[in-house]
Structure formats: C-alpha cells, structure tokens
Amino acid sequence: MSLPQLLLRFPRYLRALGTPRRRWWSPFLTTISSVGSCRGQSSKSPAYWNQVVSEAEKIVGYPTSFMSLRCLLSDELSNIAIQVRKLVGTQHPLLTTASQRSLAEITELIHTALLVHRGIVNLNELQSSDGPLKDMHFGNKIAILSGDFLLANACNGLALLQNTKVVELLASALRDLVQGVYHENSTSAKENYITNDIGISAWKEQTFLSHGALLAKSCQAAMELAKHDAEVQDLAFQYGKHMAMSHKINSDLQPFIKEKTSDSTTFNLNSAPVVLHQEFLGRDLWIKQIGEAQEKERLDYAKLRETIKAGKGVTSAIDLCRYHGNKALEALESFPPSEARSALENIVFAVTRFS
C-alpha cells in the first residue's frame, strides 16, 4: 500500500450543519492512512503506526490500494458499480461518497506513479555486478511506461469526477511534485552529494512541494467534493500539509534514532537533521566534517552519523517534527470529537512519538 487514505466521516458535524449524513471524512482518512502504511513508522514502534493505520482503514471501510484491480476482478463489485450508475442525476448521498473514494484512489495512483518513476536506474552508475546493461535499460523503459500508465489512469479518473476545482487542485499538486523532485535531483547531483547551503526555510519549501502538496491538496479536494466552504477546505489543507511534513521529518530521523543501525547504513545528506546540523554548524565546518569522514572515494556514513548526532541537528529535527504535528492537530480542533477525528489524531501521534 502506498499513500495515506483520506477523510473519514463527521456525522455530528454534518448534522450540526443541517446537511445529510455523508462519509466526507472517508477520502481524507483514506488518503492519510494510505501514505503512512507504505513508509511511515514511529521511531520507537513500527507496530504502533501499523495499528493506527489499520484502525483508520476500519472506519473508512476498506483500503483503497489497488482498488481498480480488485474491482476489475470482482463481478460483485462490478454489479454494484452498475447499480450506482443508475443514481447519476439524483441527489443520493452515495454518489458523493463514491466521488470521494475515487479521489482517494486517484491520489494514490499519482503517488505510486511517482515512486515507480523514481525507480529508474542511472545507467552511468551501474556496476558489473548489477546485471546486464540491456536488462537494466529494459527495466527503465518498463518503469517509465508503468508510471505513465498510472498517471494516465489518474487523469482519466479526475475527468470523471467532473469538478473543475478538484481537477485544478490535483493538477497543481502534480506540478508541485515534479518541481520538488527536480530540485531534489539537481541538488543531490552537485558537490558530490553534499547539501547546498539552503537553510531550513528553503528545505521546508522544497519538501512541501515534493512530499506535502499532494496530500494537502487531496485533503482540500475531499472537502470540495463534499461541498464544504473555503474555511473547512483550508483546515483540511493545513492538516494534510503539516501531517505530510511531520511524516517526512520522522522518516529522515530514522537513521539517527534507531537503536540498532548498521555501520553501512547510508542516509540522505539533504535530510532534515543534516540540514539543521549544517545550519547550526556553518557551511565551512560542515565541509570540514565531510572531509574528515571521507575515506578515499567513499564516505564513512557511520562516522558522519555519530558526528551529526553529537550536534543539535537531531534534537532540532525532533522538535520540528512535533511542531508540524501540533499544527496538524490544531487544524482538527475546529471539528467536534468523533471516531474519525480520533483516528486522524492518532496518525499524527504515530509520527511524533520519540520516546
């Protein structure tokens, strides 16, 4: 499973508004739970993350991963789809729920397509032990075509939603993704993979583009499909944004806080703890530490990791992760207590626990 699974339902809140009872939280939680089950883990207990994601999926009804494939192989689901089509043109709330389910699936398709495209191998860096060049080249072609196929299906699904604003939101999220990944790749290709002196502010901007925009705008789109006003849409956007940022920082922290870490384990020199370490240290001293950890043409990540852990970068990254987690929780405070809200809060707690 790849991306988190979006928004559950808020029956009390909807009844307070005088609107029909709709599962408009479904796509929101559908998107949220799907993201974490693929990559998210709490620092101390990966099982805790899996638990909160599982609980969220129970509220949603079922996970969205590979929903299209299951539907194609299931006659029962196909029959249900035929019956649902008969409701087109009516005001039955089931139609709204089915639009939100589709949105969650579209979000996951876009995310999965990005992961597939990122799996393309740089043929110039291949070693003889990696396999025949022709096979690796063929694998790249398959990765490109597979990713493009997923994106094409996502675009088709967006068109079927027949909501101009939702199309605009998801299209802009895809643009942000491409821009963010482009910046990441261009940065890592310079100075032998040593971070540029961008500072944490620029790092946040780039990280939002490559890791936060899709989730944030998908959450907003879910509220648009449920016909909620701009204020509620912004709250959903803020939750998705800060949840994604907190999740990314938690992931960046794993090589520095895991109790058991292999000496050969590498980490991204553009990750949050490293960028913060460099910002506290200063560019010149950081370059010096890189040089001290350099052995011939290979970087001693174990030595460099201990150097970074001795500084302020790791603790500052933990504080930053909790900051974004708290901002995500603040976005939920405007909604009344419910099972769905608790599930979304637990997802935040899963990525901000460090003890």
Side-chain angles (χ1 to χ4, degrees), residues 88-304:
V88 174
T90 71
Q91 298 299 316
H92 198 285
L94 177 62
L95 286 179
T96 302
T97 300
S99 296
Q100 290 174 332
R101 289 279 187 184
S102 297
L103 174 62
E105 182 180 356
I106 290 165
T107 302
E108 191 168 359
L109 281 174
I110 294 173
H111 178 74
T112 304
L114 176 67
L115 294 179
V116 172
H117 278 160
R118 280 187 165 183
I120 296 173
V121 176
N122 186 343
L123 299 179
N124 294 326
E125 297 178 356
L126 288 179
Q127 304 294 327
S128 57
S129 59
D130 293 327
L133 181 62
K134 63 177 182 178
D135 292 342
M136 304 301 287
H137 183 62
F138 177 75
N140 278 355
K141 290 182 178 180
I142 294 299
I144 293 172
L145 290 173
S146 299
D148 290 348
F149 174 78
L150 294 175
L151 284 176
N153 276 273
C155 292
N156 182 61
L158 272 178
L160 293 176
L161 291 178
Q162 298 182 349
N163 187 305
T164 304
K165 184 174 181 180
V166 170
V167 172
E168 180 183 351
L169 282 170
L170 270 294
S172 65
L174 184 56
R175 176 202 63 203
D176 293 339
L177 267 174
V178 174
Q179 183 178 345
V181 173
Y182 174 80
H183 282 304
E184 284 185 357
N185 291 340
S186 61
T187 299
S188 64
K190 297 176 181 178
E191 301 185 39
N192 194 26
Y193 297 94
I194 299 176
T195 50
N196 286 335
D197 192 12
I198 59 175
I200 194 63
S201 296
W203 180 89
K204 286 182 180 180
E205 293 177 7
Q206 293 183 14
T207 301
F208 171 73
L209 291 175
S210 58
H211 292 84
L214 179 60
L215 183 56
K217 292 182 178 181
S218 295
C219 291
Q220 181 181 352
M223 299 298 95
E224 163 63 24
L225 283 177
K227 304 187 185 305
H228 285 284
D229 59 26
E231 181 180 358
V232 175
Q233 290 183 32
D234 182 63
L235 290 171
F237 176 90
Q238 294 301 323
Y239 177 86
K241 170 186 175 181
H242 291 291
M243 172 58 213
M245 294 294 290
S246 183
H247 183 275
K248 176 60 168 63
I249 297 169
N250 179 286
S251 177
D252 285 356
L253 279 163
Q254 294 307 306
F256 302 94
I257 61 178
K258 282 183 177 179
E259 295 180 356
K260 295 182 180 180
T261 303
S262 171
D263 290 341
S264 60
T265 301
T266 62
F267 53 87
N268 192 339
L269 294 182
N270 291 289
S271 62
V274 180
V275 172
L276 285 165
H277 174 78
Q278 175 185 310
E279 191 168 73
F280 281 115
L281 199 65
R283 182 66 173 175
D284 292 339
L285 286 177
W286 168 239
I287 296 296
K288 181 180 178 181
Q289 288 184 349
I290 287 287
E292 292 173 349
Q294 199 83 30
E295 295 183 354
K296 296 181 180 180
E297 297 181 357
R298 189 180 70 87
L299 188 62
D300 187 342
Y301 280 92
K303 182 177 181 179
L304 186 60

Side-chain angles (χ1 to χ4, degrees), residues 49-65:
W49 172 264
N50 295 333
Q51 176 186 341
V52 297
V53 169
S54 177
E55 291 173 353
E57 288 177 348
K58 290 177 183 177
I59 299 175
V60 173
Y62 56 88
T64 58
S65 299

